Amino acid sequence: MDHCIFKGKNNMQPVVQNDEENSLYNNVDSCYVKDIPFIPDANGREIFRIFGYGHADQTGDGGAYFTIEYNLFDHADGEGTEIVSLKSNHNLVQYNTVIASHGGLVGRRGKYNTFHGNYILGQNYPGSTGIRVAGSHHRVTNNYIADVAEDGLRLITGEYFEKSLTDKFAPKKKTLPKYLQVKESYFANNTIVNCGGYGIDIGFAYKNQWPNLQMVLFPEDNKFENNIIYNTKSLVIHEPLIDKNVPLDVFTFKPNHFLNNIVFGNTVSKSITVESFTFKDLLLKLDKNGLYVINNLSPAFNFGALAFQNDVIISINQTGVKADVNTKPSPIAVSQVGPKWWK
């Protein structure tokens, strides 16, 4: 499906959804999604909801293999939380642009999902966020997130579901945890600027609604490399204090790994080793496209590092996005999307 326009939808259910069974290798590109109003307490009005293998936390390697690319979301609010909601394995969300929309790009369920080369331009719009993930083995790379009202990147806490830790455990789903633990995922070469909340929130919703929900599985063994985080209202990188008292003293988590990230304008949580970061003014300026860029005097210019094992060699260009011939040099414009008859 390509070069469509979706505008003004105000009823229930998503704008675009695939079938949950046997819907494989679909592609939506170059579409214009505009003015989808936010309706409070109307869960299920995502813009894109991608079902498939992995929705029920199946343990195999199947997936939907859905690609969402080169689309423009402009005031695409919907339910107000999930603009794109991936609820399956092995999906790709790349080179899209989100403008002033309530919510963000979300890996809600599943694993092995990729968010790459997207521009999220919040314009301080209420409820705007960057990218949120749950589950394992995701890749969040080369995204540009600026001026969102809330957090730039969220790694949500997983729910422990194997048994009750207290006599008050009342799971909302009878067979599945509310969220899967984020682990063994890769977050690299993202540029996060002027967030109204945290730059990166590791362990979002930790102990939320405890003890009725057991949201206590802290993100572990994730890798953060070559990210630029600048001028956040709250901490650049936030981790909640992990409760080690009974009954949570039975949990231990592998550390997350940080390498060659540059931050400025705030600090990180006390639980994070500051030596893992470079704290310097990046000398960012707005270019003609309204993007925050650097010059050759910036400490971020040609800043980079060899990637972790089994990943490619990467470096940061002037917007912090990987120098990739396939990467859009600027956000998607209206002239690039939608049908010809509409233009």
Side-chain angles (χ1 to χ4, degrees):
M1 183 169 69
D2 65 279
H3 294 88
C4 301
I5 181 170
F6 302 98
K7 183 179 179 181
K9 178 184 180 299
N10 61 8
N11 58 319
M12 290 299 294
Q13 300 303 319
V15 175
V16 174
Q17 178 182 302
N18 64 331
D19 191 73
E20 187 165 1
E21 301 293 336
N22 300 316
S23 179
L24 301 173
Y25 298 102
N26 293 288
N27 185 291
V28 179
D29 74 272
S30 307
C31 293
Y32 189 23
V33 185
K34 181 174 174 60
D35 297 336
I36 310 297
F38 169 53
I39 301 177
D41 302 319
N43 186 40
R45 295 187 64 248
E46 302 98 328
I47 306 304
F48 283 44
R49 184 164 67 192
I50 310 304
F51 280 136
Y53 189 92
H55 178 226
D57 301 339
Q58 297 95 328
T59 57
D61 291 329
Y65 301 95
F66 203 112
T67 298
I68 300 169
E69 59 185 354
Y70 302 113
N71 301 287
L72 175 59
F73 302 89
D74 185 353
H75 289 82
D77 296 351
E79 68 170 22
T81 304
E82 300 176 7
I83 297 168
V84 170
S85 181
L86 302 181
K87 296 187 174 183
S88 51
N89 303 338
H90 294 292
N91 301 294
L92 175 62
V93 180
Q94 65 177 358
Y95 309 134
N96 303 282
T97 294
V98 179
I99 299 175
S101 296
H102 201 305
L105 306 180
V106 177
R108 178 61 182 84
R109 303 201 82 89
K111 55 183 183 290
Y112 293 103
N113 289 314
T114 296
F115 296 87
H116 176 77
N118 301 286
Y119 286 90
I120 301 177
L121 311 177
Q123 298 182 1
N124 298 307
Y125 189 77
S128 57
T129 61
I131 297 173
R132 168 164 59 91
V133 294
S136 65
H137 298 92
H138 301 307
R139 293 181 66 87
V140 179
T141 55
N142 312 92
N143 301 283
Y144 178 95
I145 301 166
D147 302 304
V148 294
E150 299 180 8
D151 299 337
L153 175 61
R154 286 173 172 168
L155 282 65
I156 199 162
T157 304
E159 183 179 27
Y160 180 71
F161 204 75
E162 294 181 12
K163 63 181 181 180
S164 300
L165 297 172
T166 72
D167 58 1
K168 295 183 179 180
F169 182 39
K172 294 191 174 181
K173 292 181 178 289
K174 294 182 179 180
T175 58
L176 298 172
K178 185 174 178 64
Y179 291 95
L180 290 181
Q181 184 185 23
V182 182
K183 57 184 180 180
E184 299 178 53
S185 295
Y186 186 61
F187 304 88
N189 285 39
N190 300 290
T191 298
I192 301 172
V193 182
N194 290 354
C195 292
Y198 300 118
I200 300 178
D201 192 356
I202 304 172
F204 176 71
Y206 179 70
K207 292 189 71 176
N208 183 40
Q209 299 181 50
W210 168 265
N212 294 329
L213 294 181
Q214 297 184 160
M215 298 280 290
V216 296
L217 296 181
F218 192 76
E220 65 175 348
D221 202 17
N222 300 288
K223 299 170 182 177
F224 299 85
E225 182 178 60
N226 289 7
N227 299 288
I228 288 176
I229 311 171
Y230 183 82
N231 194 32
T232 58
K233 187 173 183 180
S234 297
L235 293 175
V236 172
I237 299 181
H238 171 256
E239 286 186 349
L241 184 63
I242 298 177
D243 189 343
K244 296 182 180 180
N245 296 312
V246 176
L248 301 181
D249 59 332
V250 298
F251 295 105
T252 58
F253 303 105
K254 296 178 181 178
N256 296 301
H257 310 281
F258 303 91
L259 178 66
N260 278 49
N261 301 281
I262 303 183
V263 300
F264 182 77
N266 216 313
T267 187
V268 300
S269 290
K270 293 181 180 179
S271 58
I272 300 174
T273 304
V274 296
E275 286 78 14
S276 303
F277 301 88
T278 298
F279 292 84
K280 289 185 178 180
D281 189 347
L282 303 173
L283 306 177
L284 296 183
K285 294 183 179 181
L286 288 173
D287 70 359
K288 63 181 181 180
N289 296 313
L291 301 177
Y292 294 95
V293 299
I294 62 177
N295 57 40
N296 58 4
L297 298 178
S298 170
F301 187 77
N302 287 332
F303 177 87
L306 294 182
F308 287 97
Q309 188 175 5
N310 299 324
D311 284 294
V312 298
I313 296 175
I314 52 181
S315 62
I316 293 179
N317 70 4
Q318 288 191 340
T319 62
V321 179
K322 179 183 173 184
D324 182 342
V325 295
N326 296 315
T327 301
K328 286 288 183 182
S330 60
I332 298 293
V334 175
S335 61
Q336 297 173 283
V337 293
K340 290 183 179 179
W341 61 262
W342 174 79
K343 298 175 188 178

